[in-house]
Amino acid sequence: MTRDVKSFCRFCIALCGIRVTTDGETITSVKGDPDHPGSRGYTCAKGRSLGRWHHHPRRILEPRRQLGADWEPRSWTDVIDDIAAIMRRNIDSHGPDSVGVYMGTAASLDGAGKWAGEQLSRSLGSRSKYSAISIDNPCKPLVSLLMSGHSGLVPVLDDQRCTLTVFLGCNPVISHGHLNGLPDPVVRLRELAAAPRELWVIDTRITETARLATGVLQPRPGTDFAILAFLIHELLENGGCDADYMEKHARADEVQALRQLLAEWDAHRASEVTGCSVDELVGLLSAVRQHGRLSVQTGTGTTMTAAANVTEWLVWVLHVVTGSYDAPGGMWFHPGFLRQVNLDIAPKEALPSASPGPRSRPELMIWGDEFPCSAMVDEIEAGNLRVLVVFGGNPLSAFPDAQRTLAALEKLDALIVLDVVENEMSEIATHVLPARGQLERADIPFYYDQFNFDFSTQFTPAIVSPAGESQSMWWIAARMAEELGLTFLPQPLSTSSTDVDILRFLATRSHVSFDEIVEKQYVSGSPTFGWVLQQALPEQRWRLIPQEFVAQLQRWRELIPPDGLLVTSRRQHRQLNSQCPPMSHDNADQLVAFIHPDTAVERGIADGDEIVVSSPSGWIAIQAKVSAEVHRDSVSLTHGWIGANVSLLTSASNVDNLTGMVLQTAVPVDVRRR
Ligand code: SF4
């Protein structure tokens, strides 16, 4: 029998509404849902491939254990027994940190799965928790923490009232957002660019988003912070600040210190550092002055560079000096529809200090409750991390030093991979556990609760029966804990509970009842303004000049990449970092490196030639795509793919000193014809 069921896609942060047509247990089509208030019928090729994903020929259908060179299917009882015994042995001999978890993007889009992975780590008493956050955006929680006292503040574009929007190293037409989702991006960006509104893009490439913009700046990779320093300097010294907002929400002595710190950042200094002309910089400044309030959003073009923290900090400062934060026409802060953090948030007078990194990398600074991914291989090599549970992620493609990462993962006592479709990780795992795919589980976007572009949440039922013996990630984590004599499921929940039971528990603090969310499937309200200023900040004032960022800015010359070619990371239209939804041969993305025509001429490279991109950490062979749309110094590559991947050119020893993030954008490389 044919059915047409409403659901939402969980490949990426946009969470587009979809209509799934089934014939029995077969997915016959996945299309955009025109009635979905967020995506309004829009989907991308990745979402529409969900049916192929569900019926993938390499679906993992049963638990299995590696036995020499072979695999042995095991019952769930046997495989969980086996895993628990290995964990127990390691915890007894080497302590709880010897058992770790890694949570990738796919896990974070599984509402109950991500929650359960974190609970498993907590109940084990292990500090060895790693996630994709430390790969591409640790600057965001750090800036939030050091400027407000809370690491979880998430600014969102006030898309109804904001008249000046700036995307900085962010290409939402392809990525569909970085910290905030942007479904139906082309239509929304056109709305943001319609006069008298302005949409500016600052990027090293004339991206698909830049083509829709009213103004574009194309700075040298890794130098965006200089544009922000210039804007703030000019606004403070020559007018354009929101004096009333600053008097209420910043300390006068900090404003004065900021002025001194930025004194050197006039248009000529910013032009010299970025390569943008003075006229271009002044054009953006005029737009900021004209509109008053603005919304700036960053992406991996800035958040994976050496200047990531400084850039993000100056973005926040720019919003403060223009009175744009927590104010209509600027940005609102998402309290979370399900979590409602605004209900009990309170000012924190004292900021936490960083603790030392794990034993093998004590120099790394830990601000939250997880270790940076840059430490994982060292921890394995040092014998500190011996068992790793991977929830829907692919360290082999997302981590630097790919060969070293592979060798380390193969040394583990147990590498337990929970996933839907086989990949490079399941090939080297000791235990492979079949997780339910998107269409086989009820879900709410629990982890992405604050990352929506609007104040909303949604619910999907399971569309089809679980494939093979697959189980929900939360259940697998809970069974591991149970077998170890631990439990993280609060009464009366148990491993006999259903997915919906767990989701109901997660929605306990929700803005509306779980039953209403289930019934309506998409529930929204209006943005809330003022709660951060009034409830979260000490004396309602931002901490404008955290000394950690001041120190980084003072050594800005070290943050600027050296002369020469620099690799930059970009997203793909039809593939998703590390997840790689299945495309048919003729609609798969082409693996290419964009290089500027000058680079091509200098090195005798023609469009379509095979080239070698190399760094001191490694090299890749890839086809060249000669394009005048990339900055002259940029070599634009994808991130997160096996084979032709920025990660193959980067090193876990080349990290940001505040977050331990591996630098993966604006990193020196060379290029030659193969
Ligand atoms: S943009 Fe594509 S991958 Fe992302 S949620 Fe929408 S359909 Fe899914």
Side-chain angles (χ1 to χ4, degrees):
M1 191 180 74
T2 304
R3 289 192 311 143
D4 181 44
V5 191
K6 284 165 76 139
S7 183
F8 65 97
C9 173
R10 281 148 283 157
F11 271 136
C12 91
I13 195 169
L15 305 174
C16 298
I18 50 175
R19 298 197 82 103
V20 183
T21 309
T22 62
D23 184 357
E25 295 294 334
T26 304
I27 311 297
T28 56
S29 127
V30 176
K31 292 187 175 139
D33 177 3
D35 300 326
H36 190 272
S39 52
R40 312 180 289 206
Y42 172 87
T43 50
C44 76
K46 292 167 276 205
R48 292 192 297 277
S49 76
L50 254 174
R52 265 175 281 162
W53 183 251
H54 175 73
H55 296 295
H56 201 291
R58 296 186 69 197
R59 267 302 299 258
I60 303 167
L61 295 171
E62 72 218 341
R64 60 190 196 224
R65 169 80 160 103
Q66 190 188 36
L67 209 65
D70 295 323
W71 290 98
E72 188 183 61
R74 292 281 187 98
S75 69
W76 275 109
T77 303
D78 277 1
V79 82
I80 296 286
D81 269 2
D82 191 41
I83 290 167
I86 298 170
M87 286 183 173
R88 194 176 297 117
R89 194 172 66 229
N90 276 283
I91 291 170
D92 289 348
S93 306
H94 306 286
D97 286 352
S98 63
V99 178
V101 301
Y102 171 74
M103 274 166 290
T105 306
S108 65
L109 284 151
D110 176 335
K114 168 93 173 175
W115 171 79
E118 292 188 335
Q119 297 303 314
L120 173 65
S121 170
R122 198 163 293 151
S123 61
L124 289 170
S126 170
R127 294 182 306 147
S128 299
K129 190 176 98 179
Y130 302 83
S131 85
I133 292 172
S134 63
I135 294 176
D136 75 353
N137 68 10
C139 61
K140 294 197 173 181
L142 182 63
V143 169
S144 174
L145 176 70
L146 297 185
M147 285 190 70
S148 75
H150 307 274
S151 60
L153 297 187
V154 180
V156 189
L157 159 74
D158 178 13
D159 66 333
Q160 296 304 306
R161 281 155 288 218
C162 185
T163 58
L164 175 58
T165 308
V166 182
F167 284 99
L168 188 60
C170 186
N171 183 13
V173 171
I174 301 299
S175 67
H176 300 90
H178 192 241
L179 196 57
N180 309 128
L182 196 74
D184 197 11
V186 171
V187 173
R188 286 205 157 82
L189 291 170
R190 286 201 175 115
E191 288 166 1
L192 293 170
R197 297 174 119 186
E198 290 188 64
L199 171 67
W200 283 67
V201 170
I202 303 172
D203 208 301
T204 58
R205 188 166 68 86
I206 305 300
T207 61
E208 294 78 358
T209 301
R211 289 184 206 133
L212 301 172
T214 54
V216 177
L217 295 183
Q218 200 172 5
R220 185 160 194 269
T223 65
D224 317 71
F225 76 91
I227 299 172
L228 299 159
F230 154 72
L231 292 174
I232 299 164
H233 163 76
E234 283 295 328
L235 295 171
L236 287 171
E237 300 304 328
N238 298 313
C241 292
D242 185 332
D244 187 43
Y245 183 101
M246 285 182 63
E247 193 183 322
K248 287 184 191 142
H249 303 304
R251 282 177 34 185
D253 59 329
E254 294 198 346
V255 174
Q256 189 53 32
L258 182 67
R259 289 178 62 183
Q260 285 171 8
L261 184 68
L262 299 181
E264 64 181 304
W265 288 99
D266 61 14
H268 295 285
R269 168 56 51 79
S271 174
E272 177 196 342
V273 170
T274 62
C276 298
S277 71
V278 169
D279 283 352
E280 289 174 318
L281 294 166
V282 170
L284 176 58
L285 174 64
S286 301
V288 175
R289 284 203 172 112
Q290 181 198 330
H291 290 271
R293 288 181 177 165
L294 79 168
S295 163
V296 185
Q297 296 182 61
T298 54
T300 54
T302 66
T303 62
M304 294 166 86
T305 68
N309 306 316
V310 165
T311 309
E312 197 66 26
W313 165 51
L314 293 176
V315 165
W316 280 55
V317 171
L318 180 62
H319 286 108
V320 173
V321 302
T322 54
S324 303
Y325 260 176
D326 215 7
M331 299 191 87
W332 56 289
F333 284 87
H334 206 308
F337 195 97
L338 298 166
R339 296 167 190 254
Q340 293 201 92
V341 296
N342 56 329
L343 293 184
D344 47 18
I345 198 164
K348 288 193 178 150
E349 298 301 333
L351 291 176
S353 49
S355 50
R359 277 182 286 161
S360 63
R361 298 287 300 269
E363 80 284 5
L364 298 175
M365 298 170 91
I366 309 298
W367 294 94
D369 65 349
E370 62 180 62
F371 290 157
C373 290
S374 55
M376 185 192 282
V377 169
D378 295 279
E379 281 292 276
I380 297 171
E381 289 176 349
N384 301 331
L385 178 62
R386 293 165 170 268
V387 176
L388 181 66
V389 189
V390 177
F391 291 83
N394 190 343
L396 275 177
S397 68
F399 283 26
D401 305 317
Q403 288 309 318
R404 194 176 152 221
T405 302
L406 174 64
L409 292 172
E410 287 180 330
K411 258 183 69 176
L412 286 164
D413 216 6
L415 173 61
I416 301 141
V417 169
L418 284 65
D419 221 317
V420 177
V421 173
E422 288 174 355
N423 61 18
E424 302 78 11
M425 289 298 292
S426 59
E427 280 168 20
I428 61 164
T430 57
H431 302 73
V432 178
L433 307 181
R436 289 181 183 169
Q438 293 184 32
L439 301 174
E440 299 147 67
R441 61 175 197 258
D443 217 341
I444 55 176
F446 182 67
Y447 179 69
Y448 279 54
D449 190 33
Q450 289 175 275
F451 304 154
N452 295 325
F453 77 101
D454 66 354
F455 183 61
S456 71
T457 197
Q458 45 190 327
F459 170 81
T460 177
I463 311 286
V464 286
S465 306
E469 295 174 43
S470 63
Q471 287 285 357
S472 297
M473 277 193 189
W474 73 262
W475 182 90
I476 300 171
R479 279 289 294 118
M480 287 181 200
E482 194 172 65
E483 207 53 42
L484 286 162
L486 307 165
T487 181
F488 57 76
L489 296 175
Q491 289 292 334
L493 296 174
S494 72
T495 47
S496 302
S497 300
T498 65
D499 290 354
V500 172
D501 293 335
I502 303 295
L503 300 177
R504 180 181 293 279
F505 161 72
L506 294 179
T508 304
R509 283 174 63 104
S510 174
H511 186 63
V512 301
S513 73
F514 181 67
D515 289 333
E516 185 176 339
I517 299 169
V518 171
E519 185 200 330
K520 296 181 175 163
Q521 288 200 232
Y522 191 98
V523 194
S524 63
S526 302
T528 313
F529 290 96
W531 66 273
V532 168
L533 294 175
Q534 285 156 23
Q535 290 172 244
L537 305 181
E539 298 174 352
Q540 300 192 13
R541 292 178 200 279
W542 297 101
R543 295 172 163 101
L544 213 51
I545 48 165
Q547 289 311 298
E548 291 82 356
F549 304 142
V550 170
Q552 282 202 329
L553 182 61
Q554 282 171 331
R555 57 178 186 83
W556 61 265
R557 286 182 175 81
E558 294 167 35
L559 302 182
I560 290 181
D563 289 345
L565 293 177
L566 304 165
V567 75
T568 52
S569 300
R570 72 168 194 276
R571 299 283 192 98
Q572 296 282 85
H573 196 50
R574 298 183 179 88
Q575 308 288 144
L576 203 60
N577 313 51
S578 299
Q579 292 191 59
C580 298
M583 295 291 139
S584 62
H585 189 63
D586 49 351
N587 74 351
D589 286 315
Q590 263 191 308
L591 273 179
V592 293
F594 289 120
I595 57 170
H596 190 271
D598 291 354
T599 306
V601 170
E602 281 165 15
R603 288 162 168 79
I605 298 168
D607 191 51
D609 277 356
E610 184 97 345
I611 58 171
V612 172
V613 185
S614 60
S615 77
S617 304
W619 62 274
I620 58 171
I622 190 168
Q623 194 183 64
K625 178 84 188 153
V626 179
S627 167
E629 294 191 333
V630 291
H631 189 279
R632 200 201 171 292
D633 290 348
S634 170
V635 178
S636 170
L637 288 177
T638 55
H639 176 250
W641 275 21
I642 291 283
N645 183 351
V646 170
S647 309
L648 297 167
L649 304 169
T650 56
S651 162
S653 57
N654 187 20
V655 299
D656 167 55
N657 72 318
L658 281 180
T659 61
M661 177 192 72
V662 175
L663 308 185
Q664 303 214 58
T665 279
V667 176
V669 287
D670 202 2
V671 166
R672 66 175 167 81
R673 191 155 169 251
R674 199 170 193 206

